[in-house]
Amino acid sequence: MTTYRDRTEAGRVLADRLTALIGEPDVVVLGLVRGGVPVAQVVAERLGAPLDVLVVRKLGMPWAPEVAFGALGPAGVRVLNDMVARQLDPGDIADVERREQAELERREQLYRAGRPPLELTGRTAVIVDDGLATGATARAAVQVARHLGARRVVAAVPVGAQEAYEMLADEADQVICAQRPEAFTAVGAYYDDFHEVSDDEVTAALTATA
């Protein structure tokens, strides 16, 4: 199992797995905000496809935010992992959802910068993230893309947990995962540089591929 130097290198490796989409009409690459955007930028450039962002917010346990009990996306999509969510009081769930919904709306306004909402009707949506841990965020992203009318949804990540990969395979039309370590730990463990991607990096990527 190898590590990636950074998200750019991961994007190159992932793009090599997606070359069958080069020349296909109506392909759009969607980077999951924020960490998936630098990976998606490389993929979009390689495929010659437009790049856009998909804002999906993970719903984390109040005492362990890295553990997801669900996710929210635009267009009112809400995904819950019932096995995890049942450990919480409804009030706790509502508090987390309220906070994450506000952040989702803030980022949508920031990154869209006056551009219209995603138009995916009849298109092939390639959803790209920097890794797949629980799969909750990616699953919500697939459902968002379908809600927005995507004809086909491909999920693509440089590295992911086997269990999450299998769960996502039940949602997406195709899942591309360059590495599936047997003893998966955390996404960041497979990158030398796994810095937190800033809002400025996201907007710069969108501007560069506009």
Side-chain angles (χ1 to χ4, degrees):
M1 200 55 54
T2 59
T3 58
Y4 301 109
R5 183 168 57 252
D6 52 23
R7 290 179 176 89
T8 298
E9 182 185 40
R12 293 192 191 105
V13 171
L14 193 57
D16 286 342
R17 307 292 183 96
L18 292 162
T19 54
L21 294 175
I22 295 176
E24 276 202 18
D26 297 323
V27 171
V28 60
V29 178
L30 305 175
L32 284 184
V33 174
R34 285 178 296 199
V37 175
V39 185
Q41 181 181 5
V42 178
V43 171
E45 290 171 350
R46 177 72 181 279
L47 299 185
L51 172 70
D52 209 328
V53 293
L54 191 56
V55 183
V56 176
R57 295 294 297 170
K58 181 173 70 176
L59 300 173
M61 302 287 274
W63 58 87
E66 72 280 0
V67 179
F69 67 83
L72 297 177
V77 173
R78 176 179 181 264
V79 178
L80 286 186
N81 181 333
D82 292 330
M83 291 184 63
V84 180
R86 68 168 58 109
Q87 301 174 40
L88 297 172
D89 292 330
D92 290 334
I93 291 176
D95 286 344
V96 174
E97 288 188 354
R98 191 178 305 112
R99 182 173 64 251
E100 296 301 340
Q101 182 66 35
E103 179 63 12
L104 185 150
E105 291 172 1
R106 181 193 76 82
R107 292 190 180 190
E108 274 276 292
Q109 293 174 2
L110 175 65
Y111 303 141
R112 304 228 72 79
R115 289 183 295 122
L118 284 171
E119 177 51 68
L120 298 182
T121 302
R123 307 186 77 171
T124 295
V126 182
I127 297 172
V128 178
D129 204 357
D130 53 13
L132 193 64
T134 67
T137 302
R139 182 182 173 210
V142 170
Q143 294 185 357
V144 168
R146 293 203 191 283
H147 181 86
L148 294 174
R151 175 180 58 83
R152 182 169 175 241
V153 182
V154 178
V157 293
V159 64
Q162 178 65 29
E163 183 179 356
Y165 169 86
E166 292 173 357
M167 180 187 74
L168 192 57
D170 291 334
E171 293 282 348
D173 295 296
Q174 184 180 9
V175 180
I176 304 295
C177 184
Q179 297 190 64
R180 280 176 277 162
E182 288 187 11
F184 183 88
T185 51
V187 173
Y190 302 96
Y191 288 84
D192 295 330
D193 175 3
F194 195 67
H195 70 275
E196 184 173 350
V197 175
S198 68
D199 287 339
D200 287 344
E201 287 178 86
V202 172
T203 53
L206 292 172
T207 301
T209 55

